[in-house]
Amino acid sequence: MGPTWLRLLLISVLALEGAVWSDGCWDEERVALLQLQHFLTDIEYSREGPDCCEWKWVDCNITTRRVIQLSSLWGRLKIKDSNLFNASMFLPFEELKSLDLSGNDLVGCVENEAPLKWLSKLGGLETLDLSITNAKNNLLLHLGGLSSLITLILQQNDLKETIHLRGNDGQLSLINLEEIDLTVNLFNNSIMEELSGFSNLKSLKIGSNRLNGLVDLKELCALGHLETLDLSYNEVNRFVTSKGLCYLNNLEELSLNGNALGGAVAPCLGNLTSLRYLDISNNHFTGNIASTPLANLTTLQFLSLSNNQLQVPMSFRSFANHSNLKVLLADQNNMVADEPTAFQTWWPKFQLEVFSMSNCMIEEHGNLQLPNFLYFQHDLRDVDLSYCDFGGIRFPHWLLENNTRLEQLYMIDTSIVGPLFLPSHPSFNLKVFDISNNKIHHDIPRNFCSLFPHLEGLFMSKNDFKTDIPPCLGGLRRLQMLDLSHNDLFGEIPEELRMSSSLANLILSNNSLSGKIIPTVYHLIILLEELRLDGDKFEGEISYFSPISIKNLQVLDVSDNDISGELPTWLWDTISLKILDFSKNNFEGPITMQLCKLINLEFLDLSSNHLSGTIPSCSNLQRMRHVHLANNRLSGTLSNVIFKSSPLVTLDLSGNSFTGRIPNWISTLPILSVLLLKENQFDGEFPLQLCKLQSLSILDFSHNKLSGHLPSCLSNLTLKPSEKSYVDSGGYQFDFFDDVMVHMGLTIYNLTGLVSVYRGYPFTYHEEDVLFSTKGATYTYKGNILDLLSAIDLSCNQLTGIILPGFGNLSEIRGLNLSHNNLTGPIPSTFSELKQIESLDLSYNNLSGRIPSELTEMTSLEVFSVAHNNLSGPLPDRKNQFGTFDESNYEGNPLLCGPPLNKSCNGGNSPTAPNATSSEEEHGHIDMVDFYISFATSYAIIFLTTILVLYINPYWRRACFYFIEDRSIVCYFFIVDSLRQLPCFRRNI
């Protein structure tokens, strides 16, 4: 006690004259901190106690009480475009060792103060973090004077090409720099030469930049002290010389993942005998790992081989001597069978904490087997064996028996069969248990909850469980996500589960669960963030109660049940709701204006009910992406229904009783991809403004009363499929490397530093499905299939005129249906350019002329019909897809001939025209002259009569002028499209 007090007294006596501290820190530093406090946006940070050394963002030397560290200021400094912020206020901190300004926008500060010249005056600074500050290259000019700097973090900025940190005469000023982090910038290959002079460098991170192609690593030879090298997520496909890399004998961590490296793994990597962390995932490496230098790197603790084309022996015996190995990731590679003697049981020297071999294929049509070494692992924390076909194995309960520390087990789609056998003793550490998409049947064991009392996520969907829901699941106090969908569960939802206070996501879709929807969902919708009960047998009304508050609910899906009554009024107060699906029920009544209160709504599906009335105008739903109101009894016009400028992707109003014209406001939806208005009573002409929808991929106006000509501007649509046909619902993700650490000497390295793997689940998004008729049938498209569909259906209307040649420009289209209209003229030969088309229906029109022989070039065509037209002449050759069509494709055209019709084009049953005699030809010529004279006389009479009527009646005159103007627009597009077919014009357009 005595010496300690004596030392403190001596320090106080020897303090600099005039420099005093009060309230815990030096006065001049306190003044500077108070100045900084004015720019803090966090009220909690700006109202702290009198002792500045106790502030959350300040650390002081416990002896001198000088400020040595300023941190935890992420995004809390309001300095952009501020003339009051004076960066020189950092200068009083003479003993400052660490400065963290990350997450703050320094652009305004840099422009006002000749890029932070004050930085070079902090001579004692050892750690500087300027990540995510919008820093530019000119900022680096003022770092050269920081000769004491050890750690420099510049990640995620706007730094380009290379860096210049050299002092006078080309000598480096940052002579003590040991760690530099440049990840997520725009540096190119030239940066390697600039970094070569930092001889003391121990950690170099250049991940997620623009290094590409051939990269020369010879400059690394000078970095003899380097321990960590991160070149991940660039576009490197080859190293000019591996000498600079393979002779870094002190290297402990190497990340090459996310590049385009291919071929065999460099043999010289075997020289890196100190390597503990190696990630070569997400490349194109090939070869058998048993013959690579990886088998010799026995110091490895972390090894990721995932997402390559490597051959991995199923026994994993290549790693028998890796006694330090803790993490082994071998996902998405090619598993190969070992020699018969090699696959015998062997005892590994390592004890893994993480093992993953998901998405693996067995070569040579063999059978995948669970690696035998797993029987001898006793310290596993996370295991992923998903999407591997193990040929009908029983659930490996011994994994849980042997590994009492196991936290996460993923065996999704692994062909597990039979009943679910569980371990004999509880697994208190298991958090996530996922056995979805297997063939497990019978009951859920009644002792399940007692064996896994601390589960946070339980996923057993897409199996064959035939049982009721165990009530004990409601007693799992940590359970946040429960997915038992796509089974054969029956009975009601247990009250214990309905009252759970921990659940956030409950998915019980597509079972045989039943009961009254109320009170089933009463407590669930109050507590949950996500509730899915679609595809069950719930019944009754949902509208007669009013919960006090629904603050958390984001997803509510009770579709495909037998729920009735009006839409519940309490629903409109659920402001947090993002996804609402009440489709395929028996709801009735109107959709009220209260819908507009759901300002966060992104997905709305009320289709296939008995709703009536008009659609409310909700211009404030600025997040709405998908609207499905099909197959109801909705009516009225759409003139007042406004989603103007909203991010609407899908609008489905099919199967209702809407009338009037198709409104022009639809053309203001910039990313509209799916527009379905079929089976209504829309009339008028096709609105030309809809041709502005350049994101459109599916258009269905069939079964309406549209008239007029086919607009030529339709040929300008790109019809590129939508990039996203689902809505994220927030959901929950489990960090696969949660709390997994590897001890390296005296330092603990968190493996999430360079690798982040998260487990998302199908219910973290809501897929939409769309009904669309093509190929002679109606299909439901959803998910990835919907993303690939591009089609136009204008069938069953009153369209007239010809099919313009410009329709051949719809190169992405897969389905085109113009049947049951009054179209005339020939079939355009330009249809041969539709290389992707699978269905083309032109039946029930008045088309004439021959079927172009060029159509045989449509090699993707599966369904083709020109039935019931006025076509004539021989059919196209029976080659490619046309060899598969029969008489039904051409019926109702009596003048067609040739196979597969039973009419020959050269006689026989085929009708032929007799040869005309000269007298008949002369008589025919006279008849034609009389016809033209009669036609000209009739035309003159009609013309004069029309002029007289228009002169007398001003109303008809205005209507005529409107008609002429509209036809002029159509003619303009027709002429432009026709000119584009000519080479001389095509070059100039």
Side-chain angles (χ1 to χ4, degrees):
M1 181 70 67
T4 302
W5 282 105
L6 183 61
R7 186 173 70 245
L8 292 175
L9 180 61
L10 180 61
I11 291 172
S12 63
V13 171
L14 296 177
L16 294 174
E17 182 178 357
V20 295
W21 68 76
S22 62
D23 293 326
C25 58
W26 294 77
D27 284 346
E28 63 224 44
E29 294 184 342
R30 178 178 173 79
V31 171
L33 290 173
L34 289 174
Q35 284 183 291
L36 278 172
Q37 217 175 32
H38 288 297
F39 297 95
L40 293 178
T41 59
D42 193 321
I43 297 178
E44 180 183 355
Y45 271 50
S46 60
R47 293 180 180 177
E48 299 184 291
D51 185 358
C52 56
C53 286
E54 299 298 325
W55 294 356
K56 295 178 181 179
W57 49 289
V58 179
D59 284 328
C60 296
N61 185 303
I62 60 173
T63 304
T64 66
R65 307 299 288 174
R66 282 282 191 178
V67 174
I68 60 173
Q69 178 172 314
L70 297 176
S71 60
S72 303
L73 293 174
W74 177 273
R76 292 186 170 92
L77 283 176
K78 187 178 181 181
I79 58 180
K80 185 178 181 180
D81 299 327
S82 173
N83 295 320
L84 300 176
F85 183 82
N86 186 353
S88 62
M89 64 181 65
F90 289 97
L91 297 181
F93 307 119
E94 296 178 0
E95 294 185 13
L96 192 63
K97 301 295 183 185
S98 178
L99 177 59
D100 182 358
L101 295 175
S102 61
N104 292 289
D105 192 348
L106 297 182
V107 171
C109 178
V110 168
E111 291 174 352
N112 291 335
E113 300 205 16
L116 297 178
K117 291 181 179 180
W118 56 273
L119 277 175
S120 60
K121 299 182 181 297
L122 299 177
L125 204 62
E126 296 179 356
T127 299
L128 177 61
D129 189 347
L130 296 175
S131 57
I132 318 182
T133 56
N134 287 327
K136 306 291 192 295
N137 282 48
N138 55 356
L139 171 66
L140 303 177
L141 300 175
H142 304 284
L143 302 182
L146 302 179
S147 57
S148 298
L149 202 63
I150 296 175
T151 300
L152 177 59
I153 304 175
L154 296 170
Q155 60 175 286
Q156 203 165 335
N157 281 295
D158 295 325
L159 303 173
K160 300 178 180 180
E161 297 179 356
T162 189
I163 60 175
H164 301 286
L165 299 176
R166 300 177 183 273
N168 296 330
D169 300 324
Q171 299 298 316
L172 286 172
S173 299
L174 305 181
I175 57 176
N176 293 310
L177 197 64
E178 295 182 2
E179 178 181 352
I180 184 168
D181 188 343
L182 305 173
T183 56
V184 195
N185 278 287
L186 303 172
F187 293 119
N188 57 28
N189 295 11
S190 60
I191 193 175
M192 302 305 299
E193 181 179 358
E194 184 68 28
L195 294 170
S196 62
F198 296 97
S199 57
N200 292 321
L201 207 60
K202 294 182 179 179
S203 177
L204 174 58
K205 298 178 181 179
I206 327 176
S208 300
N209 275 277
R210 292 187 175 178
L211 279 67
N212 64 85
L214 300 176
V215 176
D216 196 342
L217 298 181
K218 65 181 180 181
E219 306 295 346
L220 294 180
C221 294
L223 305 181
H225 298 288
L226 202 63
E227 297 176 357
T228 299
L229 177 61
D230 179 7
L231 297 173
S232 62
Y233 294 101
N234 283 282
E235 298 177 7
V236 181
N237 57 36
R238 184 182 168 192
F239 295 127
V240 175
T241 173
S242 58
K243 181 179 179 181
L245 174 64
C246 294
Y247 284 82
L248 297 174
N249 295 328
N250 293 315
L251 203 62
E252 297 183 2
E253 299 184 23
L254 175 60
S255 298
L256 301 175
N257 54 304
N259 281 284
L261 298 168
V265 179
C268 68
L269 281 181
N271 299 340
L272 305 181
T273 55
S274 299
L275 206 60
R276 301 184 183 185
Y277 182 107
L278 177 61
D279 190 348
I280 61 171
S281 62
N282 297 291
N283 280 288
H284 307 297
F285 287 114
T286 58
N288 193 308
I289 63 171
S291 59
T292 66
L294 303 179
N296 299 325
L297 298 177
T298 57
T299 57
L300 283 175
Q301 296 184 10
F302 178 102
L303 175 60
S304 179
L305 313 169
S306 300
N307 299 299
N308 281 287
Q309 288 95 47
L310 291 166
Q311 295 175 325
V312 182
M314 283 194 297
S315 71
F316 285 87
R317 195 162 187 170
S318 306
F319 305 106
N321 295 321
H322 288 58
S323 57
N324 298 303
L325 199 59
K326 296 296 181 184
V327 178
L328 178 56
L329 309 177
D331 307 288
Q332 203 160 329
N333 280 290
N334 299 316
M335 309 303 293
V336 293
D338 298 78
E339 296 295 329
T341 57
F343 200 74
Q344 295 175 357
T345 301
W346 58 282
W347 286 264
K349 294 182 179 180
F350 54 76
Q351 284 294 322
L352 296 178
E353 294 183 11
V354 179
F355 176 67
S356 184
M357 56 169 284
S358 65
N359 282 289
C360 287
M361 300 294 294
I362 180 68
E363 289 191 352
E364 300 176 359
H365 308 289
N367 292 319
L368 278 175
Q369 302 178 39
L370 283 173
N372 283 339
F373 79 85
L374 288 176
Y375 285 96
F376 307 102
Q377 297 298 294
H378 306 289
D379 201 27
L380 286 168
R381 316 293 174 83
D382 300 273
V383 176
D384 189 354
L385 303 171
S386 302
Y387 307 108
C388 294
D389 186 357
F390 291 113
I393 62 171
R394 300 279 181 166
F395 176 72
H397 61 89
W398 45 267
L399 266 176
L400 295 165
E401 292 269 12
N402 297 346
N403 297 275
T404 58
R405 297 184 180 182
L406 194 65
E407 297 180 4
Q408 303 186 53
L409 177 60
Y410 302 92
M411 297 193 70
I412 309 166
D413 195 9
T414 52
S415 301
I416 302 174
V417 299
L420 181 60
F421 292 113
L422 297 177
S424 57
H425 56 75
S427 296
F428 292 105
N429 291 302
L430 194 66
K431 298 179 181 178
V432 183
F433 184 64
D434 194 339
I435 52 173
S436 304
N437 202 13
N438 283 289
K439 301 176 183 178
I440 304 173
H441 53 77
H442 295 313
D443 296 341
I444 299 174
R446 293 294 137 176
N447 63 341
F448 186 91
C449 301
S450 60
L451 290 175
F452 309 122
H454 296 151
L455 276 178
E456 297 177 9
L458 174 58
F459 314 102
M460 299 197 293
S461 66
K462 297 182 181 179
N463 278 285
D464 195 22
F465 288 113
K466 291 181 171 62
T467 181
D468 55 355
I469 299 175
C472 69
L473 293 177
L476 297 178
R477 300 303 180 190
R478 300 182 184 180
L479 190 63
Q480 301 174 46
M481 304 191 72
L482 175 61
D483 186 359
L484 301 177
S485 62
H486 296 273
N487 281 287
D488 196 13
L489 303 177
F490 52 81
E492 297 186 359
I493 300 176
E495 183 178 359
E496 293 85 345
L497 187 60
R498 300 200 306 259
M499 302 296 292
S500 172
S501 59
S502 62
L503 269 178
N505 304 78
L506 178 61
I507 298 88
L508 300 174
S509 311
N510 296 289
N511 282 287
S512 298
L513 298 170
S514 59
K516 295 291 185 181
I517 192 66
I518 300 296
T520 298
V521 301
Y522 183 84
H523 290 282
L524 290 175
I525 61 175
I526 297 176
L527 298 174
L528 293 180
E529 296 178 9
E530 179 175 20
L531 175 62
R532 297 184 186 271
L533 301 177
D534 51 296
D536 282 298
K537 298 179 180 179
F538 293 104
E539 59 181 3
E541 295 190 8
I542 198 172
S543 58
Y544 68 81
F545 81 103
S546 299
I548 298 175
S549 176
I550 303 177
K551 297 180 179 179
N552 302 317
L553 193 65
Q554 298 182 33
V555 180
L556 179 59
D557 187 352
V558 294
S559 62
D560 197 10
N561 280 282
D562 194 19
I563 305 172
S564 57
E566 295 188 354
L567 296 175
T569 55
W570 55 261
L571 185 65
W572 315 126
D573 295 322
T574 314
I575 305 299
S576 58
L577 204 62
K578 295 172 63 176
I579 295 172
L580 175 62
D581 194 340
F582 276 12
S583 63
K584 301 175 185 176
N585 279 287
N586 296 307
F587 288 106
E588 58 187 10
I591 305 174
T592 68
M593 283 293 295
Q594 299 297 312
L595 170 69
C596 304
K597 296 170 66 175
L598 302 181
I599 57 175
N600 291 303
L601 201 62
E602 298 182 23
F603 186 103
L604 175 65
D605 193 345
L606 302 176
S607 58
S608 299
N609 281 286
H610 308 299
L611 300 173
S612 58
T614 59
I615 302 178
S617 175
C618 296
S619 58
N620 62 328
L621 299 183
Q622 294 300 309
R623 297 186 178 183
M624 187 75 79
R625 294 178 58 83
H626 304 276
V627 174
H628 296 263
L629 300 175
N631 301 313
N632 279 287
R633 299 170 182 172
L634 300 171
S635 59
T637 66
L638 298 183
S639 57
N640 294 322
V641 181
I642 301 176
F643 296 98
K644 188 174 181 180
S645 300
S646 72
L648 205 63
V649 175
T650 304
L651 180 60
D652 186 358
L653 305 178
S654 305
N656 283 284
S657 300
F658 293 113
T659 58
R661 291 177 175 265
I662 297 173
N664 289 335
W665 60 259
I666 294 179
S667 65
T668 66
L669 302 173
I671 59 173
L672 188 67
S673 178
V674 179
L675 178 57
L676 307 177
L677 302 180
K678 67 178 180 180
E679 296 176 4
N680 280 283
Q681 299 178 34
F682 292 110
D683 56 25
E685 297 188 358
F686 188 102
L688 298 180
Q689 290 83 352
L690 296 191
C691 297
K692 298 177 182 179
L693 298 174
Q694 289 303 306
S695 296
L696 203 64
S697 62
I698 303 176
L699 175 66
D700 191 346
F701 287 176
S702 63
H703 296 272
N704 279 285
K705 299 177 181 179
L706 299 179
S707 59
H709 292 187
L710 287 173
S712 61
C713 62
L714 277 180
S715 62
N716 298 327
L717 295 177
T718 59
L719 293 180
K720 291 184 178 180
S722 171
E723 296 181 358
K724 188 176 182 182
S725 61
Y726 60 86
V727 174
D728 296 324
S729 63
Y732 192 89
Q733 291 181 323
F734 296 97
D735 188 346
F736 190 60
F737 292 118
D738 187 28
D739 297 328
V740 176
M741 305 284 186
V742 173
H743 295 265
M744 297 183 179
L746 299 177
T747 306
I748 299 178
Y749 288 77
N750 190 344
L751 296 182
T752 59
L754 293 178
V755 178
S756 296
V757 178
Y758 295 93
R759 294 294 169 191
Y761 291 89
F763 51 80
T764 58
Y765 59 86
H766 190 87
E767 281 187 336
E768 66 168 351
D769 55 68
V770 167
L771 286 175
F772 189 80
S773 298
T774 185
K775 302 181 183 179
T778 300
Y779 302 94
T780 298
Y781 294 88
K782 66 184 302 181
N784 294 333
I785 303 300
L786 177 59
D787 292 341
L788 297 175
L789 180 63
S790 55
I792 293 177
D793 189 346
L794 301 177
S795 63
C796 299
N797 280 284
Q798 301 166 13
L799 299 173
T800 58
I802 65 173
I803 303 175
L804 300 176
F807 275 69
N809 298 330
L810 301 173
S811 58
E812 299 292 331
I813 199 167
R814 294 178 181 269
L816 177 61
N817 190 347
L818 301 176
S819 66
H820 292 86
N821 280 288
N822 298 312
L823 301 175
T824 57
I827 298 174
S829 60
T830 55
F831 276 178
S832 61
E833 301 297 323
L834 306 180
K835 303 301 182 183
Q836 305 290 331
I837 198 166
E838 299 173 3
S839 177
L840 177 60
D841 191 348
L842 305 175
S843 61
Y844 291 93
N845 280 288
N846 296 311
L847 301 176
S848 58
R850 293 189 175 190
I851 300 175
S853 59
E854 292 89 343
L855 299 192
T856 58
E857 299 174 18
M858 297 188 293
T859 54
S860 297
L861 197 61
E862 298 179 17
V863 174
F864 175 69
S865 179
V866 292
H868 300 282
N869 280 283
N870 296 319
L871 300 169
S872 60
L875 295 179
D877 294 338
R878 291 180 60 78
K879 67 178 183 178
N880 297 329
Q881 299 300 104
F882 273 73
T884 65
F885 303 144
D886 56 28
E887 290 185 62
S888 63
N889 301 93
Y890 309 102
E891 65 183 8
N893 293 280
L895 299 181
L896 287 177
C897 60
L901 301 177
N902 293 322
K903 296 180 181 179
S904 172
C905 296
N906 298 317
N909 294 330
S910 174
T912 57
N915 293 327
T917 62
S918 58
S919 61
E920 289 172 336
E921 291 177 356
E922 182 179 356
H923 180 71
H925 176 71
I926 295 174
D927 288 343
M928 288 300 295
V929 172
D930 293 341
F931 169 76
Y932 284 124
I933 294 174
S934 175
F935 177 80
T937 303
S938 300
Y939 185 84
I941 294 172
I942 293 173
F943 178 76
L944 293 174
T945 303
T946 302
I947 294 298
L948 181 62
V949 169
L950 292 178
Y951 176 77
I952 296 173
N953 193 319
Y955 173 78
W956 287 4
R957 185 164 63 249
R958 286 194 301 270
C960 178
F961 290 157
Y962 173 80
F963 176 79
I964 293 172
E965 180 183 14
D966 189 58
R967 292 302 91 192
S968 298
I969 295 174
V970 174
C971 292
Y972 167 77
F973 283 113
F974 172 72
I975 294 171
V976 170
D977 287 341
S978 300
L979 291 177
R980 284 177 175 168
Q981 308 302 318
L982 301 175
C984 58
F985 284 94
R986 191 181 301 126
R987 287 193 298 268
N988 297 317
I989 294 178

